[in-house]
Amino acid sequence: MRKVNITTAILLLLLAAYVYLEASTFPVAADTLGPAFFPKLVAGMLAAFSVGILLFAVLGKKEETVPDLPSKPLVVIMVAMVIYVALLPHIGFLTTTPVFLTIAGIVIADSIRYWWKKVVISSFVTTGALYYLFAVLLNVPLP
């Protein structure tokens, strides 16, 4: 597990550096945070947590354990996420996001008989809140 954590931490550090450098190319208006603020913030947090994982892996116990295979719900959500990212530019944020959140909620929920209404409602509320936050308040264009 130690090798997996070290490899993952290094890959996440590289991803954080890439996101930070890409966000640095965004235009910045005077007296505003600008569109680069949020990606830089997320990249900085990702880098900080990656350094934490790296430190725990390097300074932690030396014993190696083999990680378990991912569970079926995790695989289903990961496949749904790949499909979501692929369809997002073509179909749009307001159409694909509630469907993805509903699928993820159904996969995670223990008993769909009792939870499906709450999952569907919360996926639409979450999509609306994200749209309002990014498109309206932060003026970030969404696909």
Side-chain angles (χ1 to χ4, degrees):
M1 191 71 174
R2 184 171 176 245
K3 290 179 185 177
V4 172
N5 285 343
I6 291 172
T7 304
T8 303
I10 290 171
L11 289 174
L12 289 175
L13 280 170
L14 292 173
L15 176 65
Y18 173 75
V19 169
Y20 191 87
L21 291 174
E22 281 296 315
S24 296
T25 64
F26 294 173
V28 178
D31 296 331
T32 62
L33 294 176
F37 172 73
F38 190 72
K40 284 184 175 180
L41 178 69
V42 171
M45 291 173 38
L46 179 62
F49 290 126
S50 299
V51 167
I53 291 171
L54 190 61
L55 288 175
F56 278 117
V58 170
L59 301 176
K61 296 179 182 176
K62 301 291 184 193
E63 61 188 53
E64 283 285 327
T65 59
V66 178
D68 296 333
L69 292 175
S71 64
K72 184 179 176 184
L74 177 64
V75 172
V76 171
I77 291 175
M78 289 174 65
V79 169
M81 189 178 300
V82 169
I83 294 170
Y84 168 72
V85 169
L87 292 178
L88 187 64
H90 304 292
I91 298 176
F93 177 81
L94 290 175
T95 307
T96 55
T97 303
V99 173
F100 168 72
L101 292 175
T102 300
I103 291 170
I106 288 170
V107 169
I108 292 171
D110 291 336
S111 174
I112 193 62
R113 183 180 311 166
Y114 303 109
W115 292 95
W116 73 270
K117 291 178 185 176
K118 292 178 182 179
V119 168
V120 171
I121 291 169
S122 68
S123 69
F124 280 99
V125 169
T126 302
T127 301
L130 289 172
Y131 180 80
Y132 182 75
L133 174 68
F134 287 101
V136 177
L137 291 180
L138 297 175
N139 212 14
V140 175
L142 297 173

